[in-house]
Amino acid sequence: MNVLLIGNGAREHALCRSLSLDPDVTALYCAPGNAGIAEVAELRQVDPLDGAAVAALAVEVGADLVVVGPEAPLVAGVADAVRGVGIPVFGPSREAAQLEGSKAFAKDVMAGAGVPTARSYVCSAPDEVDEALDAFGAPYVVKDDGLAAGKGVVVTDDLAAATAHANSCDRVVIEEFLDGPEVSLFAITDGETVLPLQPAQDFKRALDDDEGPNTGGMGAYSPLPWADPKLVEEVLQTVLQPTVDELRRRGTPFSGLLYAGLAITSRGVRVIEFNARFGDPETQVVLARLKTPLAGILLAAANGTLADLEPLRWSDDAAVTVVIASHNYPGTPRTGDPITGLADVAAEDAPHAYVLHAGTKHDGDEVVSAGGRVLSVTATGKNLGQARDRAYTALGRIHLDGSQHRTDIAAKAAAGE
């Protein structure tokens, strides 16, 4: 099949890498892509938020399947536009994507579905904010109601900082703090059948030991040796299937990737948030372990035939990914710096370690930084310790002036193996 993928980050590079290894994929296009994706897919230019333009490109390249990577095009209705020209698309409709586009909508769906989550208030005025913060106390959890690219959440003991963030947003969700480790669990769904993938854990804070500001994610690992073996089945029964059933009942069926961000609290599993697309950087480690060819799974979700698929096959290997971010991320990142060492990783560390590009572009013969999160160095191994060692060995070959990365990705989990 011919596949067109929309997006330009490391998540999209991971998806393109898996699709390029699928024998059923005869042609692979990515729009707009990046310098790394160009090695496995033909790049095309398109405005990812322009549904008509994406649909026209899909027709032009003869796509049998369109995969929409990022959240903003989904919330903008790009999947609807592609469906409108009769091409199967992996990604929810504009209405269903409000599960990520609006925290308040997601809370309403969870209430209707009986899904366990944090108690919360939706606030749009300063006096409401003050009441809600007072009701829950510290640590304060304040979430921008709209899309914020992973940076709209503030968790702090500082009342003034929590109040300032809340009042800078048009509408916020203020909720109780959930204790316990966090888990990301992706599920592929066609609106009825729900197919959970393997869980992962990501690292949101910029600095080691979970210090510093929130980011889009600085690394991830899978599997989770400390997690209950029944976790995936429990989340399927109590979170994923009820949510998909509730959205279908409302007349807004959700087809695509349902991402549950979970807290494993002392009172049980609680949903922190839903996303409507693959997460970044967790996708990098989940797809590194998936043995079933990817294109057929995504097409079955788009066509409503997931129930007919064979059970997914997974590698027993562990996977770790470490993000290299540019100077000053997650503030205003510096861009345009040359990246060296990529060829060394390909020569010395393949196939167990490889580099997925996020914010990169070509400048003549050079690859240069073009965003906040620049690269995801990903590695597999017989356990987390080996995967982690391989990832950091490969990372050590790469040079980007002023770059930063965490040194503790998967360290505690590997130590406990």
Side-chain angles (χ1 to χ4, degrees):
M1 67 179 92
N2 288 3
V3 181
L4 168 63
L5 190 136
I6 303 302
N8 64 347
R11 162 188 48 221
E12 286 76 32
H13 192 177
L15 287 162
C16 279
R17 180 181 182 274
S18 290
L19 290 166
S20 73
L21 297 172
D22 187 331
D24 287 339
V25 175
T26 47
L28 179 59
Y29 304 90
C30 185
N34 62 38
I37 294 172
E39 297 175 11
V40 294
E42 183 179 323
L43 300 193
R44 295 297 184 98
Q45 285 305 307
V46 77
D47 177 354
L49 299 178
D50 185 337
V54 172
L57 178 59
V59 171
E60 179 191 328
V61 301
D64 301 300
L65 173 67
V66 174
V67 180
V68 182
E71 59 273 24
L74 293 167
V75 172
V78 166
D80 304 275
V82 176
R83 284 192 187 96
V85 296
I87 296 175
V89 58
F90 183 80
S93 66
R94 180 204 303 263
E95 286 188 313
Q98 284 303 305
L99 201 62
E100 177 168 4
S102 167
K103 300 286 191 295
F105 176 80
K107 287 289 187 184
D108 190 57
V109 170
M110 284 188 264
V115 167
T117 187
R119 293 178 299 126
S120 63
Y121 295 102
V122 180
C123 307
S124 51
D127 59 329
E128 295 173 352
V129 166
D130 293 341
E131 278 185 43
L133 292 172
D134 185 55
F136 288 133
Y140 304 103
V141 182
V142 184
K143 300 180 175 182
D144 190 334
D145 182 48
L147 283 183
K151 303 179 194 72
V153 178
V154 166
V155 181
T156 179
D157 289 318
D158 184 335
L159 178 59
T163 305
H165 179 61
N167 290 334
S168 72
C169 306
D170 290 335
R171 188 162 79 148
V172 293
V173 174
I174 294 173
E175 60 185 40
E176 66 176 329
F177 177 76
L178 296 174
D179 64 327
E182 294 186 13
V183 173
S184 300
L185 185 60
F186 302 161
I188 291 171
T189 179
D190 56 10
E192 292 194 22
T193 300
V194 180
L195 202 61
L197 305 184
Q198 290 290 307
Q201 186 173 56
D202 78 330
F203 294 76
K204 283 276 188 272
R205 298 282 186 173
L207 308 175
D208 283 6
D209 300 318
D210 294 324
E211 299 286 337
N214 257 345
T215 71
M218 295 298 290
Y221 69 93
S222 178
L224 312 181
W226 49 267
D228 186 327
K230 301 190 194 104
L231 175 66
V232 172
E233 185 60 30
E234 179 190 345
V235 175
L236 175 62
Q237 299 299 332
T238 62
V239 174
L240 300 168
Q241 192 72 56
T243 299
V244 169
D245 292 344
E246 173 69 11
L247 285 163
R248 189 174 67 253
R249 187 186 68 76
R250 291 173 176 229
T252 55
F254 187 103
S255 164
L257 195 290
L258 177 59
Y259 164 156
L262 308 164
I264 314 301
T265 78
S266 54
R267 293 170 294 140
V269 174
R270 298 287 185 273
V271 175
I272 300 168
E273 64 175 352
F274 282 125
N275 291 327
R277 38 74 197 179
F278 280 100
D280 185 342
E282 302 98 317
T283 301
Q284 289 86 302
V285 292
V286 173
L287 292 185
R289 301 185 58 224
L290 178 65
K291 292 174 76 172
T292 304
L294 182 61
I297 308 170
L298 304 186
L299 185 62
N303 285 337
T305 57
L306 268 185
D308 301 335
L309 280 190
E310 298 282 320
L312 298 182
R313 291 179 293 111
W314 294 93
S315 168
D316 292 330
D317 282 356
V320 172
T321 193
V322 184
V323 170
I324 298 177
S326 56
H327 177 73
N328 201 40
Y329 178 79
T332 304
R334 194 173 81 202
T335 59
D337 288 311
I339 302 164
T340 59
L342 297 173
D344 296 333
V345 175
E348 301 289 335
D349 303 292
H352 301 298
Y354 48 89
V355 181
L356 298 167
H357 292 233
T360 68
K361 67 177 183 180
H362 278 114
D363 183 5
D365 292 335
E366 283 189 318
V367 175
V368 301
S369 60
R373 291 186 294 174
V374 181
L375 302 168
S376 286
V377 182
T378 304
T380 56
K382 66 180 186 294
N383 54 36
L384 286 172
Q386 186 180 52
R388 190 174 181 279
D389 288 346
R390 286 171 169 173
Y392 280 104
T393 296
L395 183 148
R397 303 186 201 281
I398 297 168
H399 179 73
L400 170 63
D401 188 49
S403 68
Q404 53 179 317
H405 65 272
R406 284 184 56 160
T407 66
D408 63 346
I409 302 301
K412 285 181 184 171
E417 282 182 324

